[in-house]
Amino acid sequence: MRVLVTGGAGFIGSHLVHRLLASGQHDVVNLDALRYSGNLDNLADLTGHARYTFVHADICDATTVRSILRDHRVEAVINCAAETHVDRSILDPGSFAKTDVVGTGVLLEESRQAGVHRFLQVSTDEVYGSVEIGHSKEEDSLAPRSPYSASKAGGDLLVLSYWTTYHFPVLVTRGSNTYGPNQYPEKFIPLFVTNAIDDQPLPLYGDGRYRRDWLAVDDHCAGIEHVLNHGQPGAIYNVGGGNEKENLTVAELILHYLGKPKSLIRFVTDRPGHDRRYAIDCSRLRGLGWQPKVSFEEGIRTTVEWYRTHEAWWKKIKSGEFRTYYDEMYGRRLQEGRACGS
Ligand SMILES: NC(=O)c1ccc[n+]([C@@H]2O[C@H](COP(=O)([O-])OP(=O)(O)OC[C@H]3O[C@@H](n4cnc5c(N)ncnc54)[C@H](O)[C@@H]3O)[C@@H](O)[C@H]2O)c1
């Protein structure tokens, strides 16, 4: 298949591009606007690859999207392009509505007009909102509570409406919290790993008892590929790792693998509207033949090892505009924070 992956210079997108090319079954065009988290270093090994093309473009730009779909005779679209960080959505909600709702709408309509055979929207379990007990199923109503999750929910609903209205063959995956190599170090796991390597404090929100279901990036990409190949048009598929952990437990495991003290943990003022727990039921995708393969302990161990051995990758990021963002997010919080055990 000739596949257009959007957001392919980001974390999940770059792993997906590698996976699709490695399968030997796809030509891949990667469309990315190279926003702050888009990083061509993630794709450096693909320079000159015969079945890979990169296009620097924005999913909101209908004219460019149209010509890419036409020129590359695209058969399937996987939309990973998004603004993705909850904390940034609190600082700048407008950019999230623009890319995650309007941009998704532009890409969707151009794909329909171009006669694309399959359109897969990569979404998140955060659209279900905070789930105090039980596990979210695909039919559950959505209750997003941050500008990020609300924008992703808007994108999902728009995508699903194209199946009902036009019988355009869309699919939606809702992945849980994903981790692994190449993740921009603003997100919880890479931030904590890289701070710990540098003996810097780890800013842990609230009481640290927030619960997430952690999913290794390879398992997430395998789930997306499986849905692309086997999913029912019009259907939603939850993709979760089955590793529900408290943030404090994850922080302690990272410190354990790096041989660093727990005193690096700082409890800091919470994120506004912080969702307590996400948990999803993945039986629909398991029924289709997918299951996660990476155990949490092994996934964290290899992820920590990757950041330990790829300092040049993340030091370049952390020395740039990231510094201003980090100081704004955590400067004051860290001054007022409480060390673990104190
Ligand atoms: N990381 C997670 O834990 C997680 C979990 C579930 C779902 N998701 C979803 O997976 C997708 C990818 O997430 P990620 O973690 O790789 O994010 P990321 O921030 O690492 O990558 C996003 C990519 O999208 C690009 N982009 C942003 N706006 C764009 C635009 N207007 N046009 C074209 N490209 C644009 C960026 O340059 C970047 O390369 C997102 O849709 C996200 O909602 C992420």
Side-chain angles (χ1 to χ4, degrees):
M1 248 190 303
R2 289 181 293 276
V3 184
L4 173 66
V5 176
T6 68
F11 166 49
I12 295 170
S14 61
H15 282 268
L16 188 63
V17 165
H18 280 99
R19 181 179 193 93
L20 294 175
L21 288 170
S23 76
Q25 293 172 1
H26 307 292
D27 288 355
V28 178
V29 181
N30 170 15
L31 179 168
D32 197 298
L34 297 181
R35 297 278 151 71
Y36 73 93
S37 63
N39 187 347
L40 289 179
D41 289 351
N42 295 341
L43 303 155
D45 58 316
L46 297 180
T47 307
H49 194 296
R51 288 183 289 107
Y52 171 72
T53 310
F54 173 72
V55 187
H56 186 189
D58 190 322
I59 58 166
C60 300
D61 175 356
T63 311
T64 306
V65 168
R66 192 173 311 148
S67 47
I68 292 167
L69 290 169
R70 186 193 53 222
D71 295 351
H72 294 275
R73 294 178 295 123
V74 169
E75 294 165 295
V77 173
I78 305 179
N79 184 24
C80 292
E83 294 292 343
T84 60
H85 190 38
V86 176
D87 286 334
R88 290 197 192 241
S89 81
I90 295 167
L91 298 174
D92 177 21
S95 62
F96 284 70
K98 182 151 188 249
T99 287
D100 300 4
V101 184
V102 177
T104 296
V106 168
L107 186 67
L108 185 63
E109 177 56 16
E110 291 305 327
S111 300
R112 182 178 79 89
Q113 299 270 354
V116 163
H117 304 330
R118 271 167 116 70
F119 183 102
L120 191 155
Q121 171 74 356
V122 176
S123 188
T124 164
D125 63 353
E126 300 194 25
V127 297
Y128 297 115
S130 195
V131 184
E132 304 299 318
I133 45 167
H135 294 79
S136 305
K137 287 187 163 252
E138 289 86 348
E139 303 73 32
D140 287 358
S141 44
L142 306 186
R145 292 165 16 102
S146 73
Y148 165 62
S149 53
S151 304
K152 290 297 293 184
D156 282 22
L157 294 177
L158 204 47
V159 167
L160 292 166
S161 78
Y162 269 53
W163 173 245
T164 315
T165 310
Y166 305 108
H167 236 62
F168 180 54
V170 299
L171 301 141
V172 174
T173 56
R174 293 190 178 140
S176 64
N177 272 53
T178 305
Y179 68 95
N182 307 88
Q183 187 169 27
Y184 192 84
E186 67 188 353
K187 302 277 170 64
F188 174 54
I189 287 179
L191 178 68
F192 276 30
V193 173
T194 56
N195 276 16
I197 291 171
D198 278 346
D199 296 307
Q200 292 298 309
L202 315 185
L204 190 63
Y205 282 142
D207 61 2
R209 303 279 181 195
Y210 292 86
R211 300 179 79 90
R212 301 291 184 259
D213 171 8
W214 291 99
L215 174 65
V217 68
D218 284 347
D219 283 334
H220 193 164
C221 290
I224 293 169
E225 187 185 23
H226 201 79
V227 170
L228 180 74
N229 290 333
H230 305 290
Q232 286 289 328
I236 303 163
Y237 295 90
N238 288 341
V239 191
N243 298 299
E244 189 179 331
K245 306 277 177 212
E246 288 186 346
N247 287 349
L248 180 58
T249 308
V250 178
E252 288 173 349
L253 194 60
I254 289 168
L255 292 169
H256 166 74
Y257 282 133
L258 285 168
K260 303 279 180 165
K262 284 188 191 170
S263 57
L264 279 179
I265 296 173
R266 288 280 184 294
F267 293 97
V268 299
T269 306
D270 214 344
R271 164 193 286 166
H274 202 168
D275 288 336
R276 194 68 175 163
R277 175 176 179 261
Y278 302 128
I280 46 180
D281 179 323
C282 299
S283 43
R284 180 176 289 174
L285 185 51
R286 283 175 182 263
L288 209 61
W290 169 89
Q291 59 176 28
K293 294 198 172 121
V294 183
S295 78
F296 184 68
E297 286 68 22
E298 178 59 10
I300 290 291
R301 198 187 58 72
T302 53
T303 299
V304 165
E305 192 53 20
W306 189 86
Y307 286 95
R308 224 181 44 73
T309 52
H310 291 77
E311 289 205 1
W313 184 90
W314 55 267
K315 290 229 157 156
K316 187 166 149 192
I317 295 170
K318 279 189 133 180
S319 61
E321 100 51 59
F322 180 87
R323 202 63 251 163
T324 315
Y325 159 80
Y326 188 81
D327 290 343
E328 183 176 358
M329 271 326 291
Y330 298 113
R332 184 161 182 174
R333 281 185 161 107
L334 283 168
Q335 275 172 17
E336 296 170 353
R338 178 175 61 83
C340 191
S342 67

